[in-house]
Amino acid sequence: MELNDARTQHTHPHLPPPRAPFHLPTWATAPRPEAAPGIYRQHHTPHDPKAAEQASTPAGPLLLRAALNLLAAWLVFIYGRGFALSGLGLLGLGSLSEIPTILVALAVNLLIIAGVIRVFGRMGRWREVGRRFLLPLLSRTVTEVPAEPEQAPVVDVWAELRPAGDVVRRLEGEAVGDVDYVRLHQAWRTVGSDPGAWQEFAAQVAARGAAACAHPSEQRDLPGGRAARHDLLVRQVRLGTAQDVPKNPVAHRNAGFALDPRVLGTSLLAVGPAGTGKTAALARPVAEALCLQALAGAACAVVVGAADADLGPDDWYDVVIAPGDPAAPYGLDLYGAAPHSDEAAARLADALLPDELAPRAESARAAMQQVVGPYRAAYGGYPGVRALRALLAGDAEGWAELGERLQKSGRRPEFEADLQQRERMHGRADDPGALLADRLALLDRPALAAGFSGGPDAKPAFAMRALEHPLRVRVKLPERSHPEAARILSRLLLGQFTQAAADRRDRELFAGLVLDDATAAVDAQAIRGVQRLRGANAGVLLLLRTLADLPEALRAPLFGAVGNRMAFPGIAPWDGRLFSEAWGTHLVRETAVTHVPDTSGGTVRRAGRLVRKALSGTTAQTESITTRDVERHRWSPSDLAHALPSGHAVVSLTSVAGEQVPPLLVDLRH
């Protein structure tokens, strides 16, 4: 089967070892118990506090305590039995006949045995000793021929689709992968009670089998194999293992660490220097998971990063946008196909202005709206980069032509105020139009012209309003050839995504944005947009090298806007301080031991201590032990900056339902 063969190919250095061939019934019926956010549920064993406490007791002390209690129980039984029978003899037991005497003595013995076992068995933990040592020993010494194992019950993995009719039988004889299985069930759930949709689904299955209802790309798995472990049935991607350390909650220790839409729906911020694995261990697996879920009809993915960033091959994606690359098949709609011109203009103006020009953002938005609105009314579409730049710069011919077109369309009175205001501002020292025109010049380059909508040679443009479809989009930013243009585009894409994802009418698909370097993209508008995504079944993954690259006024709001925070090794202490403050404190039991000179006793004891000091050179001391609960940071800035081992990260989680997981130390290599 090509699907299974592709799944076992490994061309990436972070790929796991080859797995066994995919077996649908085994995978579909694997146990997936309910678990806290962040726990990989497939084959997960829930934490049992009682069993863990018992297993934590060393065998030596446990056996010694059991033996001592057994000896004490034997002595108590011997002497207690003799004392009880002697007392009964004094009460006239010897005057009874033989049978009543035996019955009374037996009852006395049983009562003493029961009391001894109850008291000393509990103190000696005999039940745990039997469970841990005697039962395994007895099971190994049994010589009887074991009974033949019962045949596992046959599970109908297609039970949910049986109402579709006999066409489902075709699926039983085909090689079906996890993407096919999830996609078919997702399609069946969307059918509902619509007879027409039901018949169309049945016809698709009858005609195409496991390939029915396929993604428009006709891909049924990612080309080239997978780098991470996925469980599409619960939409999880496994990233590593939570470590068995005291700082981690006991329920997460040694459990697989995973992300899914219920966690990514609150967005995730990851901070760490270059080379610590943010892209390879986090961004690429999450992008891979979103692409797989898109093939299954459950998500749409937008992945943004430098052209050389390892975010998966181009074959993973339906739309590849690479401004500056003539071979790229698609361009980018700078307006995101926004239905309202004022909204589109505001997003573009915010993207054009860097952080140092943020105080002029409001006037820049107004200037952009005064141009974009009339242009759309006159020409029926948004202006291209060159036309927009000319109008903002005050090109006389462009303005005259725009006025004539508005006059012919009969809509000039609607935009008369905008046109007059733009004419009054032109030529003044504080004209934001000139500033915007200068910033647009960074995009109006020959190498970039074909990558944006509106030009004469423009390529088919992707618009962010397409997030209602299971698309997979990769945007390659020209960070080396046009670094400032790349920063403008990253701000524009984040702003467009937050706006489009929140405005979707159909929010059935999870919309995910992976931004490999969000340094230039984060501003006040973007932070407010990220906050709106929690209720829109959407989320963003933002990667930063350091928080120091952001204006100080944005750092705390950014931490408050995201529900998940991840720190990689090597972050600066000032970055660690923000993480430490966000994660707060908890109570820790501390034991303090104090040694003070021993001054107790009379003359004889004091003389003895003087002789001891003369002979040994040490002063006799008393020891005082104090235990108290104190508040300590879950992770201190120093620990985050200097104590994190390579290949690890500390991450806290919050689900869309409000469930919170304290910071976890995770090994991202396993």
Side-chain angles (χ1 to χ4, degrees), residues 520-606:
V522 176
D523 55 20
Q525 292 292 333
I527 291 174
R528 285 191 284 269
V530 169
Q531 290 175 327
R532 293 195 297 266
L533 296 180
R534 293 197 181 197
N537 194 23
V540 298
L541 170 59
L542 305 176
L543 274 61
L544 293 175
R545 292 185 178 91
T546 174
L547 292 167
D549 291 339
L550 301 180
E552 188 172 357
L554 296 179
R555 299 172 193 172
L558 177 60
F559 263 69
V562 298
N564 312 292
R565 307 171 186 95
M566 197 167 185
F568 281 78
I571 64 173
W574 44 88
D575 289 347
R577 178 179 57 82
L578 287 173
F579 278 99
S580 184
E581 292 176 354
W583 288 333
T585 60
H586 64 149
L587 290 177
V588 177
R589 176 157 294 184
E590 286 189 351
T591 300
V593 180
T594 306
H595 296 277
V596 296
D598 187 3
T599 58
S600 62
T603 305
V604 176
R605 293 190 62 183
R606 293 180 182 179

Side-chain angles (χ1 to χ4, degrees), residues 366-367 369-371 374 399 402-403 406-407 411-428 431:
Q369 290 166 348
Q370 290 164 2
V371 171
W399 276 103
L402 175 61
L406 281 173
Q407 193 72 36
R411 302 189 62 182
R412 183 177 178 86
E414 300 178 31
F415 297 96
E416 192 70 36
D418 284 343
L419 297 176
Q420 293 176 356
Q421 180 65 21
R422 186 88 291 281
E423 291 175 358
R424 283 196 299 268
M425 292 295 297
H426 177 62
R428 294 175 49 175
D431 179 18

